[in-house]
Amino acid sequence: MIKRTLVGIAVILAASYTAQAQRIGSTPEYVTALTSRWKGERFADGRPKVSDIVLDRLQNCTLEQVWGYLNNRGYRNQIEKNWVILKPNETMTGRVLTAQFMPTRPDLDTLVRAQGKAEGRSQKGGINIWPIDVLTKGDIYVADGYGKIKDGTLIGSSLGNAIYGKTGKGVIFYGSVRDMQELKDTKGFNAWVKGHDPSYIKDMTPTSINAPIRIGEVTVFPGDVVFANEYGVAFIPAHLVEGLVAASEMTALRDEFERVLLQAGKYPSGEIHGDWSPKIKDEFRAWVGKYPKQLAITQKDIDAYLAKEGH
């Protein structure tokens, strides 16, 4: 059965790729095939629609928690580090919209412009705005600018404000931006880039939107979820996000509850840090039931966690 499923996915991917091989924007069918392990709601373009609640809760995770969860599930190449960060003290989460840029050559550029026109993309302004045109609320614009810094500035302050207006988020570029000072003044906007430069973008052609791209050591899919902070950027497959958040949230809740018990002095510290007694487990259930913030985990998750050996 598993082999049949994998063969079926491969056929869909091949057919979808063939059908849209010359396209700039991937078809919804192709994006759906790429992210077939996601079983929830989707956007019209085929990308998984991970809930806002989960994205908000993801902000409470650490890079180590994200890395550990993904690594244990075979996703060993999901973290990219060493960024220039616009606002290092902020964490950003959101849904990925991808774009790939390549060095311009006349025949490629002519083909891309003609195909973009056929797809109904804007013919006014630079073609670097095409990915921005299709952004929606909660998206993070992730672009492979092949590390180009001088003349590789994918956006400046005007496009940065346009991106924030559409998404309420920021950008992650394996490339550069300009107008860093002005962008820093845009409240709510953030950027993880490989550099910045005062030059304008030059000799760069967008060759795909919402297709797989490479960001450093990571293969990024459209519809992945970003976790970005001052220590690095993680690209999380959509179908793993809820489980990751629940696991991280459970660990954080236990740590917080243990601090409450330790401060109350009700139990010896060995009983709190070790395996919990049935009485402490019942107190934990009651404490979580009155928790003042909305949680991603459910009562079923809590019962399953407490039933495991060692809790």
Side-chain angles (χ1 to χ4, degrees):
M1 180 62 72
I2 294 176
K3 288 184 178 180
R4 290 180 182 176
T5 301
L6 292 175
V7 169
I9 292 173
V11 170
I12 292 171
L13 284 172
S16 298
Y17 181 78
T18 300
Q20 62 97 49
Q22 300 301 316
R23 289 181 59 90
I24 307 304
S26 296
T27 64
E29 293 77 15
Y30 179 61
V31 175
T32 299
L34 281 173
T35 58
S36 61
R37 294 187 180 184
W38 170 260
K39 303 305 179 185
E41 187 179 357
R42 293 181 180 271
F43 290 99
D45 61 12
R47 289 181 301 142
K49 190 174 184 180
V50 176
S51 73
D52 291 336
I53 292 175
V54 172
L55 294 178
D56 289 343
R57 295 305 298 170
L58 181 62
Q59 292 192 22
N60 298 322
C61 295
T62 67
L63 190 65
E64 287 74 18
Q65 289 173 338
V66 174
W67 174 86
Y69 189 88
L70 297 179
N71 190 68
N72 289 339
R73 284 152 183 81
Y75 289 82
R76 297 183 293 274
N77 305 296
Q78 301 304 124
I79 309 292
E80 177 68 13
K81 299 181 295 182
N82 302 318
W83 297 93
V84 175
I85 307 172
L86 189 66
K87 299 170 184 174
N89 295 324
E90 298 180 6
T91 297
M92 183 171 71
T93 62
R95 311 174 191 92
V96 169
L97 183 139
T98 62
Q100 182 181 50
F101 288 78
M102 297 181 70
T104 296
R105 51 180 283 172
D107 45 1
L108 173 65
D109 198 65
T110 299
L111 175 65
V112 166
R113 289 176 183 275
Q115 182 59 33
K117 185 175 182 179
E119 293 176 19
R121 303 192 186 278
S122 174
Q123 299 302 296
K124 296 181 179 180
I127 59 177
N128 61 305
I129 68 172
W130 288 352
I132 298 172
D133 287 341
V134 294
L135 290 167
T136 61
K137 202 69 176 176
D139 284 349
I140 293 178
Y141 177 21
V142 180
D144 176 10
Y146 55 92
K148 186 178 182 181
I149 307 301
K150 183 177 181 294
D151 300 331
T153 52
L154 297 180
I155 64 166
S157 60
S158 294
L159 290 183
N161 278 274
I163 290 167
Y164 182 72
K166 281 176 165 286
T167 68
K169 302 287 182 176
V171 301
I172 297 173
F173 292 161
Y174 201 80
S176 64
V177 299
R178 68 191 308 269
D179 299 333
M180 283 284 277
Q181 184 173 344
E182 291 89 342
L183 286 171
K184 199 165 189 176
D185 291 335
T186 300
K187 186 176 180 181
F189 180 87
N190 210 342
W192 279 251
V193 297
K194 289 299 178 176
H196 59 93
D197 198 80
S199 58
Y200 289 104
I201 186 172
K202 183 179 179 181
D203 292 335
M204 298 181 74
T205 299
T207 54
S208 73
I209 299 171
N210 273 341
I213 61 173
R214 194 185 88 171
I215 299 295
E217 299 180 355
V218 185
T219 296
V220 182
F221 277 10
D224 279 353
V225 169
V226 164
F227 172 86
N229 64 13
E230 61 186 307
Y231 306 109
V233 176
F235 298 95
I236 308 164
H239 67 279
L240 294 179
V241 178
E242 289 190 30
L244 186 159
V245 169
S248 299
E249 190 167 85
M250 192 72 74
T251 299
L253 281 173
R254 178 176 178 129
D255 290 344
E256 184 179 346
F257 179 65
E258 287 187 349
R259 290 192 294 271
V260 170
L261 292 183
L262 288 168
Q263 291 172 8
K266 188 175 180 180
Y267 299 97
S269 59
E271 292 186 25
I272 296 171
H273 287 309
D275 293 345
W276 286 349
S277 66
K279 185 176 181 181
I280 292 179
K281 289 182 180 181
D282 287 340
E283 287 192 33
F284 179 68
R285 290 187 180 95
W287 178 79
V288 172
K290 298 178 182 178
Y291 201 74
K293 298 179 181 179
Q294 190 168 12
L295 300 173
I297 59 175
T298 65
Q299 187 62 50
K300 184 178 179 180
D301 296 327
I302 294 170
D303 291 338
Y305 174 80
L306 294 176
K308 291 180 182 178
E309 185 178 356
H311 295 320

